[in-house]
């Protein structure tokens, strides 16, 4: 049973080769697009590495970059095959290499499909990574004089201003940490001493937030401190007042940003998969059509092109049998290599014994 068989004359084979050549170069450009997409996504993730607890999400851009480069190489090879397919004397040299080409092209399609799935599946991991990373970032916000953390304040401030967010889940996260460095506190002041003494860990906690949490679109001047004290501000009610702060937490803001970024790559990657599959199928038809014409010893005659010479089940069984034969052949070679040294030594010992028997005894 031949799967999806088609008739090809010389003119149709030439047109197929020409069309596949154009499609191959389109696939090369698609591979370049995938590679650039991976580089851009990788850059965006590295920029926020300080507020992420792990790099599991980096598997998506890593695969995109790897597949992009592989796609450029395989489709360039496909364009060369198309050129040589018009010459009956040059095409046979590709016969063995095409087996590897089909395997790589199929693997590229599978990896691109995996990228689309991972883009959605890793949302929970991304959110958890941001949750832990932002929690640490807020905790180390005050450590401007600690090596390795001195830029944490700038990172968090720029993040909150750029994404219009505040805190990890919301602005109240700042109430639970001391975000003012001790060297900027006057420990002789009564208010400072009272706040430090009232805390079990002797931390200076405030019902306030950094300036970067302020919403510039608010008509009211920014209220950073005493946010829970209704008497501290004129005409102010903490429970009903729409605070002039960013309401959204930075974890949600970053999760939405990265998921929108990765989800937007989905249609592009699916388009690349479609192009790559078209190249794969067209190459198979071209290969079988040309090999059929060469088998009939009539390069310009009619031939048949097909995807599978047998049914899917039969083809799978044949491939399985070939793999098993190859494995058995490798094992037989390994055993032969182990036996050969012993046989060589036995043969050498037999030769030495024969020489001793043939040599005359020494005179007495």
């Amino acid at each position: 049973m031949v799967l999806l068989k088609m008739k090809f004359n010389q003119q149709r084979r030439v047109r197929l080769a020409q069309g596949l050549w154009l499609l191959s170069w389109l696939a090369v450009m698609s591979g370049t697009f995938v590679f650039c997409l991976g580089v851009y996504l990788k850059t965006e993730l590295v920029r926020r590495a300080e507020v992420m607890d792990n790099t599991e999400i980096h598997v998506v851009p890593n695969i995109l970059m790897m597949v992009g480069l592989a796609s450029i190489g395989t489709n360039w090879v496909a364009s060369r095959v198309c050129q040589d397919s018009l010459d009956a004397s040059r095409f046979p040299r590709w016969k063995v290499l095409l087996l590897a080409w089909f395997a790589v092209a199929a693997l590229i399609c599978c990896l691109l499909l995996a990228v689309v799935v991972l883009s959605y599946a890793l949302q929970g991991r991304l959110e958890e990574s941001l949750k832990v990373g932002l929690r640490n970032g807020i905790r180390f916000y005050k450590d401007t004089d600690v090596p390795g953390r001195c830029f944490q304040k700038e990172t968090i401030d720029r993040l909150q201003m750029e994404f219009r967010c505040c805190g990890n889940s919301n602005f109240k996260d700042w109430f639970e940490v001391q975000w003012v460095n001790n060297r900027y506190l006057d420990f002789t002041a009564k208010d400072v001493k009272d706040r430090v003494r009232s805390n079990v860990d002797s931390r200076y906690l405030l019902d306030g937030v950094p300036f970067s949490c302020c919403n510039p679109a608010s008509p009211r001047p920014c209220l950073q401190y005493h946010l829970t004290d209704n008497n501290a501000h004129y005409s102010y009610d903490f429970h009903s007042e729409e605070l002039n702060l960013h309401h959204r937490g930075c974890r949600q803001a970053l999760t939405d940003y990265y998921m929108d970024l990765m989800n937007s790559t989905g249609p592009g990657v699916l388009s690349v998969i479609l192009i790559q599959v078209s190249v794969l199928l067209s190459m198979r038809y071209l290969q079988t059509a040309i090999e059929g014409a060469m088998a009939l010893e009539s390069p310009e005659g009619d031939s048949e092109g097909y995807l599978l010479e047998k049914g899917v089940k039969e083809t799978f069984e044949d491939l399985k049998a070939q793999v098993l034969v190859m494995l058995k052949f490798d094992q037989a070679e390994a055993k032969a290599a182990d036996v050969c040294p012993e046989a060589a030594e036995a043969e050498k010992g037999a030769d030495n014994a024969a020489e001793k028997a043939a040599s005359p005894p020494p005179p007495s």
Side-chain angles (χ1 to χ4, degrees):
M1 174 186 172
V2 179
L3 189 62
L4 297 178
K5 181 172 62 175
M6 296 177 64
K7 289 282 188 180
F8 288 90
N9 54 28
Q10 175 66 7
Q11 186 178 8
R12 289 192 68 184
R13 287 196 296 268
V14 170
R15 288 180 179 176
L16 177 60
Q18 292 172 341
L20 180 55
W21 184 85
L22 292 173
L23 194 60
S24 299
W25 281 107
L26 177 61
V28 168
M29 291 187 287
S30 300
T32 305
F33 164 75
V34 169
F35 177 76
C36 294
L37 196 64
V39 171
Y40 175 71
L41 184 57
K42 181 77 172 181
T43 304
E44 287 299 302
L45 289 171
V46 170
R47 284 182 60 197
R48 314 294 174 195
E50 293 183 0
V51 293
M52 291 186 182
D53 182 53
N54 57 62
T55 57
E56 290 182 4
I57 193 65
H58 287 237
V59 68
V60 173
N62 290 344
I63 293 177
L64 284 174
M65 290 188 292
M66 179 184 66
V67 170
L69 290 176
S71 178
I72 293 172
T74 53
N75 289 293
W76 177 82
V77 171
S79 67
R80 294 296 304 273
V81 173
C82 293
Q83 291 176 335
D84 290 350
S85 66
L86 303 177
D87 188 344
S89 62
R90 297 169 63 184
F91 183 77
R93 65 179 181 176
W94 294 103
K95 187 173 182 180
V96 177
L97 292 177
L98 278 176
L99 295 175
W101 185 92
F102 282 119
V104 174
L107 180 61
I108 287 174
C109 295
C110 294
L111 287 175
L112 286 173
L113 192 60
V115 165
V116 177
V117 174
L118 287 173
S119 297
Y120 293 94
L122 289 177
Q123 180 175 355
R125 298 291 185 88
L126 173 63
E127 191 169 355
E128 184 63 26
S129 175
L130 288 169
K131 178 181 178 181
V132 178
L134 284 168
R135 184 175 62 201
N136 292 333
I138 291 173
R139 188 176 57 172
F140 302 142
Y141 180 87
K142 69 179 188 306
D143 298 339
T144 52
D145 51 358
V146 177
R149 302 177 187 171
C150 51
F151 294 105
Q152 198 71 48
K153 177 183 181 299
E154 180 182 358
T155 299
I156 296 296
D157 282 334
R158 289 185 181 276
L159 177 69
Q160 293 189 144
M161 290 187 289
E162 180 180 352
F163 287 91
R164 296 179 176 273
C165 58
C166 184
N168 193 338
S169 301
N170 53 56
F171 68 93
K172 294 181 181 179
D173 293 324
W174 290 103
F175 299 175
E176 302 172 2
V177 297
Q178 178 181 337
W179 51 272
V180 180
N181 194 300
N182 285 338
R183 64 176 177 172
Y184 302 116
L185 296 175
D186 181 8
F187 285 94
T188 62
K190 182 178 182 303
D191 179 63
V192 174
K193 287 192 290 185
D194 290 344
R195 285 186 178 275
V196 172
R197 288 171 182 171
S198 63
N199 186 268
V200 177
D201 299 326
S202 299
R203 294 180 296 168
Y204 182 72
L205 301 182
L206 290 170
D207 55 344
V209 296
F211 76 96
S212 53
C213 282
C214 295
N215 185 1
S218 174
R220 182 168 187 163
C222 184
L223 303 178
Q224 289 180 246
Y225 302 103
H226 306 293
L227 295 177
T228 58
D229 187 358
N230 291 334
N231 297 322
H233 309 285
Y234 176 73
S235 184
Y236 174 79
D237 185 357
F238 171 69
H239 297 288
S240 61
E241 180 82 9
E242 185 178 350
L243 300 178
N244 53 0
L245 305 174
H246 298 305
H247 294 276
R248 187 170 59 161
C250 290
R251 184 194 349 149
Q252 187 62 47
L254 284 172
T255 301
D256 292 344
Y257 172 73
Y258 283 121
M259 291 310 301
D260 289 345
L261 192 61
M262 287 192 288
N263 293 342
S264 63
T265 66
V269 172
L270 289 174
S271 301
V272 174
I273 294 175
L274 182 61
I275 294 172
Q276 191 66 50
V277 170
S278 301
V279 173
L280 183 65
L281 299 180
S282 301
M283 179 62 77
R284 179 58 178 168
Y285 274 118
L286 181 63
Q287 178 201 18
T288 53
I290 293 177
E291 289 180 352
M294 293 174 65
L296 296 173
E297 297 182 355
S298 176
E300 296 184 0
D302 294 348
S303 62
E304 292 182 348
Y306 50 83
L307 295 182
L308 295 177
E309 188 175 2
K310 302 178 182 179
V312 177
K313 184 177 180 180
E314 292 83 356
T315 303
F316 177 76
E317 292 295 335
D318 288 348
L319 289 174
K320 182 179 177 182
Q322 291 177 9
V323 171
L324 290 175
V325 169
M326 291 177 63
L327 291 175
K328 289 179 180 178
F329 181 73
D330 291 341
Q331 291 175 358
E333 282 190 341
K335 289 181 180 178
D338 292 338
V339 171
C340 281
E342 298 177 1
E345 289 198 8
E347 185 178 351
K348 185 178 179 181
D351 291 343
N352 291 337
E355 288 178 3
K356 289 180 180 179
S359 60
S364 56

